[in-house]
Structure formats: C-alpha cells, structure tokens
Amino acid sequence: RRRGLESVRALNPGIEIVLVTRDNLSEFLVHEEPLHPAYEYLSYNHRSDFLRGYLLHHHGGGYCDVKPIRQSWAASFAELERSDRWLVGYTEVRFDMVPKLPGRLGRDLVRASTQVLGNGSFIARPRPPLTDEWHGEQLRRLDEWYDALRRCPGDWRGKNPGYPVSWLALQGDITGPLCLKYQHRIIHDPRIKV
C-alpha cells in the first residue's frame, strides 16, 4: 500500500493527493448527509466501497485504490474537464470480471462488458445523475441491510459467517449497470488503471 501511495504522489505532482483515513474522514463529510448509520457495521472493504460513491458524488475528483499506478492522471482530468462527460474509468479487464447479476441484466453486462468500468479508479464530476444514482442505491441497500448488519457486523474483509453484504454489493453490482445506462457520459481511459 505504501508503494501504491508513493506511485500516485510521484506521478501526479500537480494534483492534490489525499489519503482519506478515519482520522481525517470528517473533513470530507457533507453536513447535510452524515454517514449512514450502517457504515460502522460494514467491513473495511465495504466502507471503502461506500466512501467511493459518497465522496465522488459529493466532491468529484479522483479515486484510486491504494495500489501502484502507471502514469500521471493529469491528462485524464483535463480530458474530463474539456468534455460533457461525467465519469472517467478504465474498461473492466475481462468479461468474466463484470458483476454476476441474475437474469437479463447479468447477461447484458457480460455481452457489453467492454462498456463496463473496472472499480479500482475513477475520476468524476461532482453530483452528476450517474453518481446520484450510484450513491442513492448504496443508501437504499444500507437501509435494507441495517438490522442484519447490526446483528452481524463485518470483519475486516466481510468474510465472516452471517455478514449480509456480498463482495460487490456496494460497488460493482451498482456501477456495472450504471455504466450501461450512462455509457454516453463515460470516458474509458486506460491511463488511470491501477
């Protein structure tokens, strides 16, 4: 993780890089929308997934898993700024890595996998309809799971028996379908892949 963060900082000297932690998270919370009460019961993986949607929706900017990157993101930020698009991401690596959703939607995601973004990094404008739906669906799901989460909170990875949130439930299961819905508002950019 240290190597990943160092690469992000070294390759982006002109971009403000902030590692959001529990110590500084409050600086980024929107007064009108505090964290969902279920947040404290989520695994650390799912807290990250939730914060990705929350922070990109409310503030825009870039998000990157704490992993090494290959090049500067400056050109990708500039491309988004010059366009009428809402979100930049890298194309999902393989068709079998898109969310495994049931029915027609799941089949559509596999068939149109080249339209689906990977979830390791994004650059977004603040508050477009895409992130509004993304974050809104996260909130709806947390409302639904709240009692179950209180009874069985997640361990650090969310792999403990009884934990009610599946691996992609707060991220890829939501963003995958939104990539198809808003494909005309997305920029696929391999330069930001982690």
Side-chain angles (χ1 to χ4, degrees):
R1 302 287 184 220
R2 183 177 296 119
R3 189 170 54 88
L5 185 58
E6 288 169 357
S7 79
V8 172
R9 288 184 171 144
L11 290 168
N12 293 289
I15 298 173
E16 179 185 10
I17 307 296
V18 178
L19 177 64
V20 178
T21 68
R22 81 180 100 189
D23 296 329
N24 66 358
L25 175 58
S26 63
E27 298 171 31
F28 301 97
L29 298 180
V30 175
H31 178 71
E32 300 79 33
E33 190 187 325
L35 292 177
H36 192 284
Y39 176 82
E40 68 181 287
Y41 303 113
L42 293 171
S43 69
Y44 288 118
N45 174 69
H46 287 124
R47 287 180 189 189
S48 172
D49 289 347
F50 176 78
L51 289 175
R52 192 172 323 177
Y54 179 99
L55 296 172
L56 286 173
H57 176 62
H58 288 295
H59 302 290
Y63 165 84
C64 177
D65 284 352
V66 186
K67 297 176 181 172
I69 63 170
R70 296 178 175 100
Q71 55 190 304
S72 171
W73 286 21
S76 303
F77 272 101
E79 183 176 354
L80 180 63
E81 190 60 35
R82 287 189 306 270
S83 78
D84 65 347
R85 307 296 175 99
W86 300 333
L87 186 71
V88 177
Y90 62 93
T91 305
E92 186 57 89
V93 178
R94 296 188 322 256
F95 77 92
D96 59 342
M97 294 181 73
V98 299
K100 311 295 186 272
L101 298 178
R104 181 177 176 191
L105 181 56
R107 290 188 302 275
D108 287 348
L109 283 169
V110 170
R111 270 190 237 121
S113 62
T114 59
Q115 299 303 314
V116 177
L117 299 178
N119 288 287
S121 54
F122 297 100
I123 299 172
R125 293 184 186 277
R127 298 183 177 271
L130 188 155
T131 64
D132 185 52
E133 288 184 44
W134 172 2
H135 183 55
E137 180 61 17
Q138 288 180 318
L139 293 173
R140 188 196 68 72
R141 291 176 184 208
L142 290 181
D143 286 345
E144 183 180 318
W145 299 326
Y146 181 67
D147 291 335
L149 281 165
R150 286 182 57 208
R151 285 191 301 275
C152 189
D155 61 15
W156 75 280
R157 297 275 291 175
K159 299 287 188 180
N160 51 307
Y163 181 64
V165 184
S166 65
W167 186 252
L168 298 176
L170 285 174
Q171 185 58 48
D173 287 357
I174 300 171
T175 58
L178 290 173
C179 287
L180 298 185
K181 180 178 181 180
Y182 292 113
Q183 60 186 291
H184 63 288
R185 293 295 191 170
I186 292 172
I187 297 171
H188 288 256
D189 187 344
R191 295 175 294 193
I192 72 164
K193 185 177 174 192
V194 292

